[in-house]
């Protein structure tokens, strides 16, 4: 009997210790129940515009801690992640447990329509307040926009690192830049948010830049296309290009042709949102995964996926790997970051803003 009691006590101690290992430091003791529920669910499903290169290191790091929770990720367009989830609601089809996407309009609509679970992560108080702007809405990564140049066709003295000097050069050096500058189309959601942020920072001065230089610029296409056209020489330069995409190209050996910089008078940063769906089939697994992403280990995995972590004090490891703190240091301080926020005015005033932007670009 004595041996049986000792054996039972030992087993209980081992089980208790195992549960304790599942609870990160600083988390409530009840978190072990959430982890147990997540393991019982065994999986979760993500709809996202992240590529395999972006998300694979994150899933690998998560499974190193939680090997019994399978993570499935479906890549699609930023708005498609929301439209597909909406279409599947109420159909009985297994849909997304977690959405990760960088589209301000769709996140605001999702919040308004109650599509997100109101979950308070144990990591939340360690994060900047702007990173969780609405109940259940968090930030996955903060992707800075850079200016790129073809180093062969653009003289070194014209590869400037401020937007003020950049737009001045486009206007004053048509021999280099006329018809050879790329950017996003400001009439659509992503490009519109970037331009809105620029105007919010610089006011009427930004409109003057755009109106003077706009006719020499060729908006349209995504980051990959802008980079390819700059590499080929079709473009001399492009601005508002996603830094993680640029860095992956430079890392592939194209740094001899492509030069880049963070604008020191305002680097626009696009937050990539994430949220657990209100009707998630695997809510516990989704919560554990989200908490992991917000932790230091998760932020390191996000950096490994070539994106920009933002947890205060975090330092990314490796060449061409930046945390948001490091970007801020590179541009002379946080005041020179333009972090796009979930501004209702941007959405409500979109028609008038788009019309003025189109007029500036003669479109």
């Amino acid at each position: 009997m004595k041996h049986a009691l000792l054996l039972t006590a030992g087993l209980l101690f081992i089980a208790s210790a195992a549960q304790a290992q599942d609870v990160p430091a600083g988390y409530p003791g009840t978190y072990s129940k959430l982890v147990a529920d997540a393991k019982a669910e065994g999986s979760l499903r993500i709809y996202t515009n992240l590529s395999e290169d972006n998300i694979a290191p994150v899933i690998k790091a998560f499974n190193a801690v939680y090997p019994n929770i399978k993570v499935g990720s479906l890549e699609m367009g930023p708005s498609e992640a929301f439209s597909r989830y909406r279409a599947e609601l109420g159909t009985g089809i297994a849909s997304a447990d977690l959405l990760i996407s960088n589209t301000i309009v769709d996140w605001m609509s999702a919040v308004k329509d109650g599509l997100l679970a109101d979950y308070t992560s144990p990591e939340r108080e360690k994060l900047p307040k702007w990173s969780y702007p609405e109940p259940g809405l968090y930030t996955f990564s903060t992707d800075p926009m850079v200016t790129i140049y073809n180093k062969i066709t653009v003289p070194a003295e014209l590869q400037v690192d401020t937007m003020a000097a950049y737009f001045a050069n486009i206007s004053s050096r048509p021999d280099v830049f006329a018809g050879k500058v790329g950017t996003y189309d400001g009439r659509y959601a992503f490009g519109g948010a970037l331009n809105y942020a620029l105007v919010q920072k610089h006011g009427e001065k930004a409109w003057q830049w755009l109106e003077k230089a706009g006719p020499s610029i060729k908006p349209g296409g995504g980051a990959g296309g802008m980079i390819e056209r700059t590499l080929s020489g079709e473009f001399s330069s492009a601005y508002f290009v996603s830094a993680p995409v640029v860095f992956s190209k430079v890392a592939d050996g194209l740094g001899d042709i492509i030069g880049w910089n963070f604008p020191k008078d305002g680097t626009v940063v696009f937050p990539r949102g994430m949220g657990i769906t209100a009707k998630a089939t695997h809510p516990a697994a989704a919560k554990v995964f989200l908490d992991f992403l917000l932790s230091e280990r998760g932020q390191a995995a996000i950096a490994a996926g070539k994106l920009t972590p933002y947890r205060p004090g975090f330092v990314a490891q490796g060449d061409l790997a930046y945390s948001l703190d490091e970007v801020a240091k590179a541009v002379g301080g946080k005041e020179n970051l333009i972090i796009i926020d979930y501004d209702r005015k941007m959405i409500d005033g979109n028609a008038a803003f788009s019309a003025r932007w189109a007029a500036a670009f003669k479109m």
Side-chain angles (χ1 to χ4, degrees), residues 257-286:
I257 301 174
I258 290 288
W260 65 273
N261 60 57
F262 296 121
K264 291 183 178 177
D265 57 351
T267 290
V268 178
V269 177
F270 208 114
R272 191 183 303 268
M274 64 177 172
I276 299 167
T277 57
K279 296 186 178 181
T281 307
H282 309 98

Side-chain angles (χ1 to χ4, degrees), residues 170 177-185 213-221 226 229 234-235 237-239 357 361 363:
I170 293 173
F177 295 110
K180 292 186 176 182
V181 177
T183 191
Y184 281 99
D185 193 324
S216 294
I217 299 171
K218 287 187 173 180
M226 285 188 271
R229 295 169 82 177
E234 179 184 350
F235 284 167
S237 178
Y239 66 98
W357 186 94
F361 284 74
M363 298 179 74

Side-chain angles (χ1 to χ4, degrees), residues 147-150 153-155 157-160 165-182 213 215-218 234-238:
T147 305
I148 64 172
Y149 295 94
N150 183 306
T153 64
V154 180
E157 66 270 17
L158 297 182
Q159 297 175 35
V160 293
Y166 182 70
F167 285 112
N169 283 343
I170 293 173
S171 301
S172 65
R173 292 297 304 270
D175 55 315
V176 177
F177 295 110
K180 292 186 176 182
V181 177
S216 294
I217 299 171
K218 287 187 173 180
E234 179 184 350
F235 284 167
S236 297
S237 178

Side-chain angles (χ1 to χ4, degrees), residues 63-127:
N63 283 145
V65 182
Y66 302 105
N68 298 322
I69 304 174
K70 182 179 179 182
V71 181
S73 175
L74 289 181
E75 181 184 354
M76 57 192 73
S79 292
E80 184 186 353
F82 294 88
S83 60
R84 177 164 175 171
Y85 176 70
R86 287 177 182 273
E88 291 171 349
L89 281 176
T91 64
I93 296 173
S95 191
D97 300 299
L98 187 74
L99 302 172
I100 304 175
S101 181
N102 53 349
T103 163
I104 300 295
V105 174
D106 290 297
W107 280 116
M108 293 298 286
S109 296
V111 170
K112 181 182 177 181
D113 296 341
L115 298 187
L116 302 183
D118 183 0
Y119 175 60
T120 300
S121 170
E123 296 285 349
R124 197 178 79 163
E125 298 309 312
K126 302 170 187 175
L127 306 172

